[in-house]
Amino acid sequence: MTDAQPNSIHEQSDHHLASGSDLRTASSSPGHATPSYSGIRDSIELQTLLRKAPTTQGGDFSSKASSDAGNDAGYQTGPLSRVASLSKSYTVNEEKAVIRKFDRRLVLFMALLYLLSFLDRSNIGNARIAGLETSLSLRPGQYAWLLTAFYITYICFEWMTLLYRIIPPHIYISLCVLSWGLVASLQSISTSFSSLVIFRALLGVAEAAFGPGVPFYLSFFYRRSELAYRVGLFISAAPLATSCASTLAWLIVKLSQHGPFEPWRALFLIEGFPSIIVAIFAWHIIPDSPTTAKYLTTRERKVAKLRLQSEEKPTSSSKYSATNTNSTQTNHLSLPELLATLRSPIPYLTSLMFFSANISFSSLPVFLPTILTSLSSHPSPLTSQLLSAPPYLLSFLFVLLVSHLSDTIPHSRGFFIITVSLLSSLSYLAIGLAGRYHALLGPTATLLIRYGGVFGAAMGFFSAITLIITWTLNNQQSDTGKGTGLAILNVVGQCGPLVGTRLYPESDGPFFVRGMLVCAGFMAATAGLAGGLRWWFGVLNRRRREREGEGEGEMENAYTGEDVEMVGLGGGDEEDEADGGEGADGEEGADGEEGADGEEGADGEETSRHLMGKRRRRKKGKESRGGQSFVYML
């Protein structure tokens, strides 16, 4: 008589394990080496995956599994990182196609919105040239208050970054764009200093709600190792807008000189109104999450979700997790995670770096016109524009290059921040020393050094700002932590322009040596902070590896011999049990009661409970120490 064939997947898995894969027999038989710990884990995971599969009567397991692997619907996987990697149901080409669509449809559109916002906030300088001060009879010092009013509200409302986790992004971003478009346009009807300062303050609120939170929003769609280049694409809209803003303003003012409105009013209206139109498109284009993007196919939406699950750390408070098959972005903030981020020193250190870089960033528009005026005996708006565009355009390309390299080379964020910060620091130092010793250098050499220094300074601080923002997001463990960390970064960091714009009093012109040397010092401080933080992240990662090494030795000693057969554990990382403590080993006694051969159920159940208790106690110890399994990006 032939042996009876197993009818179910569960029976087949036991049959296969009994017919040559029995770990207990292999480990105790002469001539067989004891299986390695990694091999035991893989075998346990395979057994668990088979046990979690739906029962199929009278079918061939291999054909059924291959069919199910194609549509990812034939089995249920627990929150096991290694099993998830084995059951990966998309190809590299599918993943690349999804990333390309997000790059072209999402990131470029967000860059367009940032370009519009940057034009609307910065066109007041061109309006001043077009006659704003004369028309409104501004007294000395009042124009400076128009600039300060924007930054005061911009800083005070940086906390609105967290609203990306509460309000669906397509609604939230559309309202932000509509708001700043209306306010920017309404500046054209100002009749006094008081009315214009109110509009500037409201513009600061609207733009604070949008721009600072966009990198956080992009982290919903990209892995940590992909984020810097996309943030670079977004941030580089600023130098791109600056490179063409003056020419656009000159053209508008030129065409409106004989129109029904004063030129400065036409400037506010024409540059502000497009944002109102774009807000309508934003409502339909911007997705709330990877799985709600209308330009993705059903299959691509699934791939977009699956590709991010390897980096997600599900917690009991996280609704946006790997086990959430609903595709919409959840409106949720975790108060414990928010408080934990506020207590951590990491976001405050990155915010000090951001503060220092912003001091230098805000100083460029102050002293650049002076340098450009010195380069021509008969300066004109078009001449100034031609001379100011190259540093910004080169900065645009340099930001993209550095951010791409930072994504490509593992653990290189801190290294590139140090490098570009030193580049900017040395450039400011060269500009300052050229001004100090201009009599020795002569006028030609002084101008060449100062103008050449602008390139290095701009390339350095634009790149540093991009990478600091990305580094802050990369080294927070949860979405709430990312939003809170970014809010701290912006609240502290955006105070930099309040300092930077006051480093260049007219009495220090035309060389502004003191301001240049101060900016050089702040950029050097940025490099020093980045070096210190990179070292500290390395220390934290080494401590994590040491703890996990001890834990793996504990597991290896525990799961040997027949205990492996008795315990239906998935062997995944401890953090993968977070969603309710279930998953591959969440059914606790089920596999333990079966045992390896059906005759040792009681012993198996007791051993399973003992080892599960040990595992969970170690898990709680790790959580109480702040989630040591998280790997910081250096």
Side-chain angles (χ1 to χ4, degrees):
M1 294 179 62
T2 58
D3 293 338
Q5 296 296 320
N7 292 324
S8 70
I9 289 179
H10 292 181
E11 293 172 356
Q12 292 180 45
S13 66
D14 289 342
H15 173 75
H16 291 313
L17 287 169
S19 60
S21 302
D22 187 2
L23 296 174
R24 178 182 56 186
T25 303
S27 62
S28 60
S29 300
H32 290 279
T34 301
S36 67
Y37 174 61
S38 60
I40 291 173
R41 284 171 59 104
D42 291 341
S43 299
I44 294 172
E45 289 169 7
L46 177 59
Q47 181 183 3
T48 304
L49 179 60
L50 295 173
R51 291 188 184 280
K52 299 289 285 185
T55 302
T56 57
Q57 299 294 336
D60 184 286
F61 169 70
S62 60
S63 62
K64 183 68 178 175
S66 62
S67 172
D68 289 337
N71 55 27
D72 200 30
Y75 54 84
Q76 173 187 355
T77 59
L80 301 174
S81 59
R82 303 189 83 187
V83 170
S85 65
L86 291 174
S87 61
K88 175 179 171 181
S89 57
Y90 58 88
T91 66
V92 174
N93 289 335
E94 285 181 314
E95 183 178 22
K96 289 181 178 178
V98 170
I99 294 173
R100 280 196 300 270
K101 283 194 176 182
F102 280 142
D103 288 345
R104 295 170 182 173
R105 299 292 192 88
L106 178 63
V107 179
L108 292 182
F109 185 72
M110 300 306 293
L112 171 65
L113 296 182
Y114 190 57
L115 186 147
L116 292 174
S117 72
F118 205 83
L119 285 176
D120 289 341
R121 81 170 69 168
S122 60
N123 58 10
I124 190 168
N126 294 315
R128 181 188 189 187
I129 298 174
L132 174 104
E133 285 185 301
T134 303
S135 178
L136 297 183
S137 302
L138 297 184
R139 297 192 300 272
Q142 286 187 327
Y143 175 78
W145 272 108
L146 293 177
L147 303 179
T148 303
F150 172 87
Y151 279 110
I152 289 175
T153 54
Y154 193 84
I155 294 168
C156 290
F157 286 87
E158 296 280 4
W159 60 268
M160 294 177 73
T161 295
L162 293 170
L163 295 181
Y164 278 90
R165 283 289 287 163
I166 298 175
I167 303 174
H170 82 279
I171 298 176
Y172 179 71
I173 294 175
S174 301
L175 291 177
C176 290
V177 179
L178 178 64
S179 299
W180 89 59
L182 284 172
V183 173
S185 300
L186 289 174
Q187 290 178 113
S188 62
I189 65 172
S190 300
T191 57
S192 64
F193 165 76
S194 58
S195 60
L196 185 55
V197 78
I198 291 173
F199 284 133
R200 293 294 298 177
L202 292 176
L203 186 63
V205 176
E207 296 207 11
F210 169 71
V214 170
F216 175 46
Y217 169 67
L218 293 178
S219 70
F220 299 165
F221 300 85
Y222 293 96
R223 293 175 176 169
R224 291 200 296 167
S225 59
E226 302 165 346
L227 194 57
Y229 181 64
R230 280 75 197 182
V231 174
L233 282 170
F234 169 74
I235 295 293
S236 61
L240 192 63
T242 306
S243 66
C244 62
S246 297
T247 299
L248 178 62
W250 178 85
L251 183 62
I252 293 173
V253 170
K254 189 74 173 177
L255 295 176
S256 60
Q257 283 181 344
H258 304 289
F261 305 107
E262 293 176 274
W264 67 269
R265 297 183 188 274
L267 180 65
F268 281 141
L269 182 61
I270 294 174
E271 290 193 352
F273 190 73
S275 297
I276 300 175
I277 305 299
V278 173
I280 300 173
F281 292 94
W283 182 282
H284 299 283
I285 293 175
I286 293 175
D288 295 335
S289 68
T291 49
T292 59
K294 297 178 181 179
Y295 40 79
L296 297 182
T297 65
T298 302
R299 172 64 182 169
E300 288 172 336
R301 292 174 190 172
K302 184 174 183 180
V303 172
K305 180 173 184 288
L306 289 175
R307 63 184 295 271
L308 298 177
Q309 289 182 358
S310 62
E311 291 191 344
E312 290 176 358
K313 180 182 179 183
T315 63
S316 57
S317 63
S318 176
K319 299 179 183 178
Y320 193 57
S321 66
T323 57
N324 181 13
T325 56
N326 295 327
S327 60
T328 56
Q329 172 73 24
T330 24
N331 304 335
H332 180 77
L333 282 176
S334 170
L335 183 59
E337 291 171 356
L338 187 150
L339 295 176
T341 307
L342 290 175
R343 291 192 297 267
S344 171
I346 293 174
Y348 299 100
L349 291 174
T350 55
S351 66
L352 288 176
M353 294 162 55
F354 197 53
F355 172 83
S356 300
N358 266 328
I359 288 177
S360 303
F361 164 73
S362 63
S363 70
L364 185 60
V366 177
F367 68 81
L368 184 57
T370 303
I371 296 177
L372 298 181
T373 301
S374 304
L375 291 174
S376 175
S377 57
H378 302 286
S380 66
L382 282 179
T383 302
S384 298
Q385 173 59 25
L386 290 174
L387 293 174
S388 64
Y392 288 111
L393 289 175
L394 190 59
S395 298
F396 166 75
L397 298 175
F398 189 73
V399 167
L400 297 183
L401 173 63
V402 170
S403 57
H404 175 70
L405 292 175
S406 178
D407 278 344
T408 304
I409 303 173
H411 291 293
S412 61
R413 296 275 195 262
F415 169 77
F416 279 110
I417 292 175
I418 295 170
T419 302
V420 298
S421 297
L422 290 178
L423 170 64
S424 186
S425 177
L426 292 175
S427 298
Y428 272 110
L429 181 62
I431 297 172
L433 292 178
R436 173 69 61 84
Y437 300 106
H438 66 279
L440 295 176
L441 295 172
T444 302
T446 300
L447 286 176
L448 289 177
I449 293 174
R450 294 178 71 205
Y451 185 61
V454 171
F455 284 82
M459 290 160 56
F461 62 64
F462 273 119
S463 300
I465 287 172
T466 299
L467 296 180
I468 291 169
I469 292 172
T470 309
W471 212 23
T472 301
L473 291 171
N474 288 159
N475 289 313
Q476 293 297 329
Q477 302 185 38
S478 65
D479 282 345
T480 300
K482 291 174 184 177
T484 307
L486 201 60
I488 295 172
L489 178 87
N490 284 295
V491 168
V492 177
Q494 291 296 346
C495 294
L498 298 179
V499 178
T501 54
R502 286 161 173 76
L503 291 176
Y504 298 87
E506 293 184 5
S507 58
D508 286 354
F511 297 108
F512 302 107
V513 174
R514 181 174 58 180
M516 300 298 179
L517 297 180
V518 170
C519 287
F522 273 109
M523 291 308 299
T526 301
L529 287 170
L533 196 55
R534 178 181 168 86
W535 170 82
W536 178 241
F537 286 153
V539 171
L540 295 178
N541 285 342
R542 284 193 296 273
R543 291 178 181 176
R544 175 192 59 81
R545 287 194 297 268
E546 291 170 0
R547 273 187 291 266
E548 290 189 349
E550 294 173 1
E552 296 234 338
E554 210 177 306
M555 291 282 288
E556 184 173 356
N557 292 331
Y559 300 149
T560 58
E562 62 186 57
D563 292 343
V564 173
E565 295 272 323
M566 296 178 183
V567 184
L569 296 176
D573 294 336
E574 282 85 348
E575 68 267 23
D576 296 326
E577 295 179 55
D579 284 326
E582 294 184 359
D585 49 1
E587 299 181 8
E588 295 191 37
D591 293 339
E593 290 174 357
E594 286 184 8
D597 359 51
E599 298 177 359
E600 300 170 322
D603 291 340
E605 181 179 359
E606 182 178 354
T607 304
S608 175
R609 289 175 178 171
H610 170 73
L611 295 177
M612 283 295 298
K614 178 186 286 188
R615 209 165 168 237
R616 286 191 175 124
R617 284 193 298 272
R618 189 168 67 254
K619 166 78 162 56
K620 289 182 180 179
K622 287 180 68 175
E623 288 180 342
S624 67
R625 294 191 296 269
Q628 305 296 343
S629 61
F630 183 76
V631 180
Y632 291 96
M633 295 189 74
L634 306 184

Coordinates of all heavy atoms in Angstrom, one line a residue, residues 551 553-559 574 577 607-621:
G551 N 21.1 39.7 22.4 CA 19.8 39.1 22.2 C 19.8 37.9 21.3 O 19.1 36.9 21.5
G553 N 22.3 35.9 20.7 CA 23.0 34.8 21.4 C 22.0 34.1 22.4 O 22.0 32.9 22.5
E554 N 21.2 34.9 23.0 CA 20.2 34.4 23.9 C 19.2 33.5 23.2 O 18.8 32.4 23.6 CB 19.4 35.6 24.6 CG 18.9 35.3 26.0 CD 18.3 36.6 26.5 OE1 19.0 37.6 26.6 OE2 17.1 36.5 26.9
M555 N 18.7 34.0 22.0 CA 17.8 33.3 21.2 C 18.4 32.0 20.7 O 17.8 30.9 20.6 CB 17.3 34.1 20.0 CG 16.5 35.3 20.4 SD 14.8 34.8 20.7 CE 14.3 34.4 19.0
E556 N 19.7 32.0 20.3 CA 20.3 30.8 19.8 C 20.4 29.7 20.8 O 20.2 28.5 20.5 CB 21.7 31.2 19.3 CG 22.4 30.0 18.6 CD 23.7 30.4 18.0 OE1 24.0 31.6 18.0 OE2 24.4 29.6 17.5
N557 N 20.7 30.1 22.1 CA 20.8 29.2 23.1 C 19.4 28.6 23.5 O 19.2 27.5 23.9 CB 21.4 29.8 24.4 CG 22.8 30.1 24.2 OD1 23.5 29.5 23.4 ND2 23.3 31.2 24.9
A558 N 18.4 29.5 23.3 CA 17.0 29.1 23.7 C 16.4 28.1 22.7 O 15.8 27.1 23.0 CB 16.1 30.3 23.9
Y559 N 16.5 28.5 21.4 CA 15.8 27.7 20.3 C 16.7 26.7 19.7 O 17.3 26.9 18.6 CB 15.3 28.7 19.2 CG 14.4 29.7 19.8 CD1 14.3 31.0 19.2 CD2 13.5 29.5 20.9 CE1 13.4 32.0 19.7 CE2 12.7 30.4 21.3 CZ 12.6 31.7 20.8 OH 11.8 32.6 21.2
E574 N 12.2 41.7 16.9 CA 11.3 41.9 18.0 C 10.3 43.0 17.7 O 9.2 43.0 18.2 CB 12.1 42.3 19.3 CG 12.7 41.1 19.9 CD 14.1 40.7 19.3 OE1 14.4 41.3 18.3 OE2 14.8 39.9 19.9
E577 N 6.5 42.6 16.3 CA 5.4 42.1 17.1 C 4.5 43.2 17.5 O 3.5 43.0 18.3 CB 5.9 41.4 18.3 CG 6.7 40.1 18.0 CD 7.1 39.5 19.3 OE1 6.3 39.2 20.1 OE2 8.3 39.3 19.5
T607 N 6.9 24.9 26.9 CA 8.2 25.5 26.3 C 7.8 26.7 25.6 O 8.5 27.8 25.6 CB 8.9 24.5 25.4 OG1 9.2 23.3 26.2 CG2 10.2 25.1 25.0
S608 N 6.8 26.7 24.7 CA 6.4 27.8 23.9 C 6.1 29.0 24.8 O 6.5 30.1 24.6 CB 5.2 27.5 23.1 OG 4.7 28.6 22.4
R609 N 5.3 28.8 25.9 CA 4.9 29.9 26.8 C 6.1 30.5 27.5 O 6.3 31.7 27.6 CB 3.9 29.4 27.8 CG 2.5 29.1 27.2 CD 1.6 28.5 28.3 NE 0.3 28.3 27.7 CZ -0.6 27.6 28.4 NH1 -0.4 27.1 29.6 NH2 -1.8 27.4 27.8
H610 N 7.1 29.6 27.9 CA 8.3 30.0 28.6 C 9.1 30.9 27.6 O 9.5 32.0 28.0 CB 9.1 28.8 29.0 CG 10.4 29.2 29.5 ND1 10.6 29.8 30.7 CD2 11.7 29.0 29.0 CE1 11.9 30.1 30.9 NE2 12.6 29.6 29.9
L611 N 9.3 30.5 26.4 CA 10.2 31.2 25.5 C 9.5 32.5 25.0 O 10.2 33.5 24.8 CB 10.6 30.3 24.3 CG 11.5 29.1 24.7 CD1 11.8 28.3 23.5 CD2 12.8 29.6 25.4
M612 N 8.2 32.4 24.8 CA 7.5 33.6 24.4 C 7.5 34.6 25.5 O 7.7 35.8 25.2 CB 6.0 33.2 24.1 CG 5.8 32.6 22.8 SD 6.2 33.7 21.4 CE 5.0 35.0 21.7
G613 N 7.4 34.2 26.8 CA 7.5 35.2 27.9 C 8.9 35.8 27.9 O 9.0 37.0 28.1
K614 N 9.9 35.0 27.7 CA 11.3 35.6 27.7 C 11.4 36.6 26.6 O 12.0 37.7 26.7 CB 12.3 34.5 27.5 CG 13.8 35.0 27.5 CD 14.7 33.8 27.2 CE 14.9 32.9 28.4 NZ 16.0 31.9 28.1
R615 N 10.9 36.3 25.4 CA 11.0 37.1 24.2 C 10.3 38.4 24.4 O 10.8 39.5 24.1 CB 10.4 36.4 23.0 CG 11.1 36.8 21.7 CD 10.7 35.8 20.7 NE 11.1 36.3 19.4 CZ 10.2 36.4 18.4 NH1 9.0 36.1 18.5 NH2 10.6 36.9 17.2
R616 N 9.1 38.4 25.0 CA 8.3 39.6 25.2 C 9.0 40.5 26.3 O 8.9 41.7 26.3 CB 6.9 39.2 25.6 CG 6.1 38.8 24.4 CD 4.6 38.7 24.6 NE 3.9 38.3 23.4 CZ 3.1 37.3 23.3 NH1 3.0 36.4 24.3 NH2 2.5 37.0 22.2
R617 N 9.5 39.8 27.4 CA 10.2 40.6 28.4 C 11.4 41.4 27.8 O 11.6 42.6 28.1 CB 10.7 39.7 29.5 CG 9.6 39.3 30.5 CD 10.1 38.6 31.7 NE 10.9 37.4 31.5 CZ 10.4 36.2 31.4 NH1 9.1 36.0 31.5 NH2 11.2 35.2 31.2
R618 N 12.2 40.7 27.0 CA 13.3 41.4 26.3 C 12.7 42.5 25.4 O 13.3 43.6 25.3 CB 14.1 40.4 25.5 CG 15.4 41.1 25.0 CD 16.4 40.0 24.5 NE 15.9 39.4 23.3 CZ 15.4 38.1 23.3 NH1 15.3 37.4 24.4 NH2 15.0 37.6 22.2
K619 N 11.6 42.3 24.7 CA 11.0 43.3 23.8 C 10.6 44.5 24.6 O 10.9 45.6 24.2 CB 9.8 42.6 23.2 CG 8.8 43.6 22.5 CD 9.4 44.1 21.2 CE 8.3 44.7 20.3 NZ 7.6 45.8 20.9
K620 N 10.0 44.3 25.8 CA 9.6 45.4 26.6 C 10.8 46.2 27.1 O 10.8 47.4 27.2 CB 8.7 45.0 27.8 CG 7.4 44.5 27.4 CD 6.6 44.1 28.6 CE 5.2 43.6 28.2 NZ 4.4 43.1 29.4
G621 N 11.9 45.5 27.4 CA 13.1 46.2 27.9 C 13.6 47.1 26.8 O 14.1 48.2 27.0

